[in-house]
């Protein structure tokens, strides 16, 4: 019923859009254009429906992309992700074409939005909205985030080892905080629990000391209203929701209070207030991407705290369960020796799936990543591969083929981070002219950006493209049963193959060879729009082979409604491509193997692989 309502809504939006949008394709007898009729505006509209993101055409949607960007934490561009709209456009095009992303978590700065108490800086909001629009124009969905780390840079002395971001100076001036000190801290995050200034300031925010939480909520409402009013209706459809505040933590708990009761009595009431501000700002149809206690899903036992919004009840479509995950064992260099392995994070990400499901909504891992320089950077290729594997499926590769029906929903996620200025910063740390930071991310010695600019000023990936630009089901017309992707990314000179095709499927194994492959199983529900699968740049048309119950091809043709297996550009004109699988029936189990392993495979091999896959799907997932 929920998907039927979504489809009916989508048709209304689509028909309205066809009356107003210029340049549509010629219509068929049913009044809909034949070529890419399912694109804007209906497909852009998302809801958190029945445990999934669902678009206006009733399809399950997976968001994949990056955080844009840690530059917002810095002062050099006045709290904006980019120095100019031109840089934002360059970043968006590269994120789509090189990084394979269809969404971004777009960072905003409270300090820049409200530099003077009660006065919202409309020039900042205008610049931020213009940069945000650059991503919408590239066909990328956006969810903004009011970002904070260690509460505020204004808590830190000019000669401090660390810095923060978030609250304006006037907020810090209104408090009476001790001189900041972390003591013997090896990592900046230890300030959260060891720096008394950070702890007390955080505590004051959650208890609305000096009215600072009220001020933040008012600024957030004005920011959201500004964005809504200064984007067109079609552009605003691509804004999927809002993340109220990054990585919430109590600072200190009240006497007798636990992490769980703090979430219940302090954090959740804040979210309900923020939700009301969203409604007042014209964001009624968009969910709040609410984060639990920062330490809820930590993978170090001494960090882990009870939580996960356990007492918030059923969140439903007005909220999305939004969390982060970093492997603190791997980052520490002490608690994890060696590299990540197949299935390393299956349990951690399975916990996210289970908690979102229990809360009656969908989940998103809006931050994950690993340092790309320093003493533990050698772990990055395997850690990131294992994290993406866990987003794709809750199973390790070693058991996926044996029990695909247990694969679970494909999780949405945005990697930290996508910063064009990596290694090129000119940041005065804590406004100290004697401490000009240029390397890495220019913030607390971090270096996690997946992108940088080369000598000619063009964006280039800093990580293996096979890892980042991935096959994933961006929109599934029905219910996803299982998905896996073997990216064949590299750790140095070693090819990482964690999910080989089993020997029981010799024709499929021959077809895939040493290439990349993905396998999607889904059950149709009568949705007319096609299932969409992102095709990385490593899957050019001539090298893309598809074996599906819908048909086989060694070079998918251009899309028409009569073509069940086809290819088309991704929206936004960046050169990225997608595979389109059309199955307008209902209740049928479908499968599609997508690989770049074979060069011009014979019809006989395609037919034999299809026979093997049909029998396997019926036995294992039917």
């Amino acid at each position: 019923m929920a998907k039927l309502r979504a489809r009916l809504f989508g048709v209304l939006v689509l028909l309205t859009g066809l009356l107003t949008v210029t340049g549509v394709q010629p219509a068929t007898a049913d009044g809909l254009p034949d070529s890419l009729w399912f694109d804007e505006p209906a497909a852009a509209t998302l809801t958190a429906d029945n445990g999934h993101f669902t678009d206006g055409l009733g399809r399950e949607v997976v968001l994949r992309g990056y955080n844009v960007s840690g530059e917002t934490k810095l002062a050099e561009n006045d709290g904006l992700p980019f120095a100019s709209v031109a840089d934002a456009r360059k970043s968006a095009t590269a994120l789509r074409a090189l990084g394979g992303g269809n969404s971004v978590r777009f960072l905003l700065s409270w300090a820049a939005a409200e530099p003077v108490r009660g006065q919202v800086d409309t020039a900042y909001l205008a610049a931020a909205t213009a940069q945000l629009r650059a991503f919408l124009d590239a066909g990328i969905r956006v969810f903004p985030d009011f970002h904070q780390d260690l509460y505020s840079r204004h808590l830190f002395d000019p000669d401090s080892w660390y810095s923060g971001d978030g609250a304006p100076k006037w907020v810090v001036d209104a408090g009476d905080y001790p001189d900041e000190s972390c003591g013997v801290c090896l990592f900046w995050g230890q300030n959260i629990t060891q720096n008394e200034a950070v702890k007390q300031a955080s505590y004051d925010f959650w208890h609305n000391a000096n009215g600072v939480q009220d001020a933040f909520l008012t600024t957030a409402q004005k920011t959201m209203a500004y964005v809504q009013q200064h984007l067109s209706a079609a552009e605003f459809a691509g804004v999927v929701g809002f993340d109220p505040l990054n990585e919430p933590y109590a600072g200190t708990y009240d006497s007798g209070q636990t992490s769980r009761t703090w979430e219940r009595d302090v954090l959740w009431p804040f979210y309900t207030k923020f939700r009301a501000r969203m409604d007042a700002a014209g964001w009624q149809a968009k969910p709040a991407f609410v984060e639990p206690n920062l330490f809820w899903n930590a993978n170090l036992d001494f960090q882990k705290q009870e939580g996960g919004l356990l007492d918030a009840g059923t969140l439903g479509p007005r909220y999305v369960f939004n969390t982060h995950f970093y492997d603190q064992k791997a980052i520490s260099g002490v608690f994890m020796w060696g590299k990540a392995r197949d299935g390393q994070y299956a349990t951690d990400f399975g916990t996210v799936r289970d908690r979102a499901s229990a809360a009656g909504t969908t989940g998103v891992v809006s931050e994950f990543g690993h340092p790309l320089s320093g003493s533990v950077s050698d772990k990055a290729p395997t850690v990131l591969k294992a994290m993406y594997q866990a987003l794709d499926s809750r199973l390790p590769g070693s058991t996926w083929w044996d029990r695909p029906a247990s694969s679970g929903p494909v999780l949405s996620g945005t990697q930290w981070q996508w910063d064009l200025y990596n290694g090129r910063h000119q940041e005065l740390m804590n406004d100290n002219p004697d401490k000009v930071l240029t390397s890495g991310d220019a913030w607390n010695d971090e270096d996690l950006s997946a992108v940088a600019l080369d000598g000619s000023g063009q964006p280039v990936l800093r990580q293996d493209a096979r890892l980042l630009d991935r096959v994933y089901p961006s929109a599934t017309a029905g219910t996803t049963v299982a998905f896996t992707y073997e990216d064949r990314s590299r750790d140095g000179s070693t090819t990482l193959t964690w999910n080989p095709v089993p020997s029981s499927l010799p024709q499929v194994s021959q077809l895939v060879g040493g290439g990349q492959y993905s396998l999607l199983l889904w059950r149709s529900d009568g949705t007319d729009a096609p299932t969409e699968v992102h095709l990385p740049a490593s899957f050019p048309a001539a090298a893309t082979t598809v074996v599906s119950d819908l048909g086989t091809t060694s070079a998918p043709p251009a899309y028409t409604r009569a073509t069940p297996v086809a290819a088309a550009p991704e929206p936004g004109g960046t050169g990225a491509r997608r595979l389109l699988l059309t199955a307008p029936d209902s209740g049928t189990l479908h499968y599609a193997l997508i690989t770049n392993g074979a060069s011009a495979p014979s019809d006989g091999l395609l037919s034999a692989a299809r026979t093997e896959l049909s029998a396997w799907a019926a036995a294992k997932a039917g």
Side-chain angles (χ1 to χ4, degrees), residues 327-389:
D327 185 347
Q328 298 297 339
K329 293 179 180 179
I331 291 173
S332 73
V334 175
F335 297 101
M336 183 183 115
W337 296 100
K339 308 294 184 70
R341 301 178 302 278
D342 175 32
Q344 183 89 18
Y345 306 116
T347 298
D348 299 296
F349 284 56
T351 299
V352 177
R353 287 178 170 87
D354 292 342
R355 184 65 206 113
S357 176
T361 187
T362 189
V364 59
V365 184
S366 63
E367 280 191 32
F368 61 95
H370 190 81
L372 300 183
S373 63
S375 61
V376 298
S377 60
D378 65 308
K379 301 179 189 294
T382 58
V383 166
L384 266 295
K385 179 180 173 73
M387 288 180 177
Y388 274 112
Q389 180 193 52

Side-chain angles (χ1 to χ4, degrees), residues 40-105:
E40 303 291 354
T45 303
L46 281 196
T47 56
D49 179 39
N50 194 31
H52 305 280
F53 287 115
T54 305
D55 70 11
L57 301 175
R59 300 178 298 178
E60 293 180 1
V61 168
V62 172
L63 304 178
R64 286 290 175 86
Y66 304 85
N67 283 260
V68 177
S69 74
E71 174 70 15
T72 302
K73 298 183 181 186
L74 309 181
E76 62 183 2
N77 282 326
D78 300 319
L80 289 166
F82 302 97
S84 65
V85 174
D87 279 1
R89 292 196 186 104
K90 178 188 291 188
S91 181
T93 298
L95 189 145
R96 190 68 139 151
L98 299 179
N102 69 357
S103 59
V104 294
R105 181 174 181 244

Side-chain angles (χ1 to χ4, degrees), residues 154-172:
H154 302 290
L155 283 172
F156 292 84
D157 299 327
D159 60 350
S160 177
W161 289 2
Y162 302 103
S163 188
D165 71 287
K169 185 176 185 299
W170 64 262
V171 172
V172 175

Side-chain angles (χ1 to χ4, degrees), residues 96-118:
R96 190 68 139 151
L98 299 179
N102 69 357
S103 59
V104 294
R105 181 174 181 244
F106 190 93
L107 274 60
L108 297 172
S109 167
W110 177 20
E114 191 186 7
V116 178
R117 183 165 194 161

